[in-house]
Amino acid sequence: MNILIARLNHETNTFSPVPTPLSAFVPRFGHAAYQDNKGMRTAMAAFIDLAEGLGARVITPVSAAANPSGRVHAAAYDALTQCIVDAAIGCDAMLLDLHGAMVAENSADGEGDLLARLRAAAPGVPIGVAMDLHGNITSKIIANCDVLVGFKTYPHVDMYETGEHAGRLLLGMLQGGPAYVVRWQQLPLMSHTLRSTTLSGAMLQAVEAAKATEGEGVPAVSVFAGFGLADIEAPCVSVVVTGLATPEGLDAAQAAADRISAQMWASREDFVYESEPLQASLLRALVLATQSSNSDQRPILLLDHSDNCMSGGTCDTMDVLEAALALGLTDIAVGPLCDPEAVDILTRAGVGAQVSLGLGNKVQLVQLGITKQPMAVTGTVLAVSDGEYTITGPTYTGQRACMGRTVLFDIGVAQIVVTAQTHEPWDLGVFSCVGLDPTAHRYVLLKSRMYCRPVFQPLVHALVECDSLGVTSSDYGLFPFVHVKRPVYPLDSSLGLLSCAVGIKSSGAAATKY
């Protein structure tokens, strides 16, 4: 038995100025792709374990994952997808670890186009897919897979479990088990990423409904929050159900998708994040720090969610730090801030050197029409390192992380970790690799939304979310959407205020009215 197993992950922010060439994916091919996942906590790792448990021959053409950024270069998309399509010939099954929100220069539906090509290249061969909770689901995706399962957590800590779920269903088909079909429902609702957490609120309630439905015997129910920072037809919320390929199974699958979608539509306002003005959020942080100064010495965590590299941010905007300093906040641990030019200057100056330079704000936000100037600072180089550390979890546990050449720069009121590469603060390692203990400071400023929280939130007194002018801002008004199909909530507020009849796409069933 030959089983194709591949990984291709990219969440595309079409407004991001960060390029996505082939090198951004750090692709691994053949046996190297196998080794890159075996023993890890990815969906592809689960596929490998399941296939090997059956004694199957595992074919791993590629494992490629890039941080969220702008549209994938056409040459990169073609090379990576063709590699997978070529490997499909002669396979008995295909298991794919995909993100679900890839947009390439030559494909507005990266995953859907790939799946359609695989179906054409190997007709009749079952295809199982594991996807990120933030996938933008399309009719082409639904039509070209037999099993589709999405993450049920954000922050994502169930990648392996999702792969195990999808793989178990698909490989069961090869062992004489039941066949499956995929049904779905999509809402005219663009959720904000900060309202897609499964830790609380409407998203948690939807995921709990999905789990309860699975407990009643439906094979797989997945809630996709979508990724709204993509100017495509429908970067929207979807509910996807993998059901039994029987008349009763089809009815049950569609009914589950419709029911959970209706629940989410009734709670649509809870999927919208209203950003607090930056100055107000920082003043609140200042008050929290003052109130806790005697009773609790733990830091105040400032989250700059408008410039998060895991949603396509440049990691170099200075708005939050500049505003914090203007309000008198001091003793701030900052990082990681990506400025390769500054890293080069500071590294050449060496530890102990005092340096004046322009920091950050060097990648212009062209698609938003925003230009900025570097922040003029003077400080001392405290440390230089290779920027490497091991992630302790719970996301990507055990994996080696690298920020590129990294410098700790002390400007007096703040100590800043400056890196050569954009990087999500997965772990305290982003600070400890240059000898900085963030918990010894009054404030910790991170460019993050969710992934930092399991590690950093237990260490701080309070968390304050800070929004500003960046390509991952929660203010949809900053983004010039052109291709999004209207009306859609919350871009069209009347859709949320009126009890109107809006046709919602579904597969094989009449459109539900909301």
Side-chain angles (χ1 to χ4, degrees):
M1 184 187 303
N2 297 323
I3 300 178
L4 183 155
I5 298 174
R7 183 183 186 208
L8 180 55
N9 287 180
H10 189 255
E11 181 179 73
T12 306
N13 180 335
T14 62
F15 302 101
S16 173
V18 180
T20 316
L22 182 62
S23 60
F25 288 89
V26 194
R28 301 286 187 266
F29 301 97
H31 187 61
Y34 171 93
Q35 290 181 310
D36 204 43
N37 288 271
K38 180 64 176 177
M40 294 294 109
R41 298 298 298 172
T42 62
M44 183 170 174
F47 295 157
I48 291 171
D49 290 345
L50 288 169
E52 289 183 335
L54 295 178
R57 176 174 174 253
V58 174
I59 299 167
T60 54
V62 66
S63 175
N67 278 348
S69 48
R71 284 180 173 84
V72 177
H73 290 186
Y77 179 75
D78 290 346
L80 294 170
T81 55
Q82 190 62 50
C83 181
I84 298 172
V85 173
D86 288 344
I89 308 304
C91 287
D92 299 295
M94 290 178 260
L95 288 168
L96 303 175
D97 179 345
L98 305 177
H99 184 281
M102 176 185 286
V103 181
E105 292 173 336
N106 54 343
S107 172
D109 184 3
E111 288 85 0
D113 287 342
L114 168 60
L115 290 169
R117 289 172 63 198
L118 287 170
R119 191 67 101 191
V125 175
I127 300 174
V129 181
M131 279 190 177
D132 191 289
L133 174 145
H134 294 106
N136 288 325
I137 308 303
T138 67
S139 57
K140 193 175 285 188
I141 290 173
I142 298 296
N144 290 289
C145 60
D146 300 275
V147 169
L148 175 57
V149 184
F151 301 164
K152 286 185 171 66
T153 63
Y154 178 54
H156 307 316
V157 294
D158 66 333
M159 294 174 283
Y160 183 94
E161 290 76 10
T162 300
E164 194 279 333
H165 191 167
R168 173 170 44 83
L169 295 180
L170 192 83
L171 295 180
M173 293 172 61
L174 301 184
Q175 298 174 288
Y180 301 100
V181 293
V182 182
R183 290 292 182 264
W184 73 315
Q185 186 67 272
Q186 187 170 74
L187 293 159
L189 170 61
M190 292 169 58
S191 70
H192 281 105
T193 302
L194 282 170
R195 286 292 177 261
S196 63
T197 176
T198 57
L199 299 175
S200 62
M203 191 64 184
L204 173 60
Q205 294 165 12
V207 169
E208 287 177 337
K211 290 178 179 178
T213 304
E214 290 176 345
E216 295 166 359
V218 176
V221 184
S222 303
V223 178
F224 291 93
F227 182 61
L229 299 179
D231 190 15
I232 57 175
E233 181 179 347
C236 294
V237 169
S238 299
V239 179
V240 175
V241 181
T242 298
L244 294 172
T246 64
E248 297 80 10
L250 292 174
D251 289 344
Q254 192 63 57
D258 293 346
R259 182 179 67 255
I260 297 173
S261 294
Q263 173 185 320
M264 297 177 76
W265 183 248
S267 302
R268 57 193 173 275
E269 292 182 3
D270 292 338
F271 289 94
V272 178
Y273 179 87
E274 296 290 347
S275 289
E276 186 178 24
L278 178 56
Q279 187 168 22
S281 63
L282 291 171
L283 283 171
R284 185 160 55 86
L286 183 60
V287 171
L288 287 167
T290 302
Q291 292 174 341
S292 68
S293 59
N294 294 324
S295 60
D296 190 339
Q297 293 297 313
R298 291 179 299 167
I300 306 299
L301 179 58
L302 308 175
L303 288 192
D304 180 3
H305 59 87
S306 58
D307 188 26
N308 173 220
C309 72
M310 292 309 292
S311 291
T314 62
C315 259
D316 89 324
T317 64
M318 304 300 291
D319 301 37
V320 176
L321 179 58
E322 289 180 317
L325 298 180
L327 285 175
L329 278 69
T330 60
D331 192 20
I332 310 172
V334 183
L337 172 74
C338 180
D339 188 337
E341 179 182 72
V343 167
D344 183 57
I345 293 170
L346 296 171
T347 300
R348 285 190 285 107
V351 174
Q354 188 174 71
V355 181
S356 296
L357 78 169
L359 189 63
N361 284 349
K362 292 172 184 172
V363 182
Q364 300 307 317
L365 312 182
V366 179
Q367 293 195 56
L368 302 188
I370 296 172
T371 58
K372 304 185 182 192
Q373 296 298 317
M375 176 180 173
V377 294
T378 297
T380 303
V381 179
L382 295 185
V384 177
S385 86
D386 59 9
E388 295 188 5
Y389 66 95
T390 299
I391 300 172
T392 57
T395 307
Y396 296 123
T397 305
Q399 290 195 28
R400 194 69 179 163
C402 180
M403 303 184 288
R405 184 60 66 88
T406 299
V407 176
L408 179 58
F409 189 47
D410 184 357
I411 62 170
V413 288
Q415 291 189 359
I416 308 171
V417 176
V418 190
T419 65
Q421 299 173 16
T422 61
H423 193 80
E424 172 71 28
W426 303 107
D427 192 272
L428 285 168
V430 300
F431 293 108
S432 62
C433 73
V434 286
L436 177 62
D437 176 8
T439 65
H441 294 264
R442 200 73 202 96
Y443 302 92
V444 178
L445 171 55
L446 300 176
K447 290 181 174 294
S448 184
R449 279 177 162 164
M450 284 289 163
Y451 290 119
C452 71
R453 298 188 191 215
V455 173
F456 287 89
Q457 198 160 358
L459 304 176
V460 302
H461 171 69
L463 183 155
V464 176
E465 294 167 345
C466 303
D467 202 355
S468 63
L469 300 180
V471 294
T472 70
S473 170
S474 295
D475 180 4
Y476 281 153
L478 291 176
F479 301 93
F481 291 103
V482 174
H483 300 292
V484 174
K485 185 177 181 180
R486 312 293 284 267
V488 64
Y489 186 76
L491 299 189
D492 302 294
S493 58
S494 60
L495 187 57
L497 296 173
L498 300 177
S499 179
C500 57
V502 179
I504 311 300
K505 298 178 189 176
S506 63
S507 178
T512 304
K513 300 296 183 181
Y514 293 90

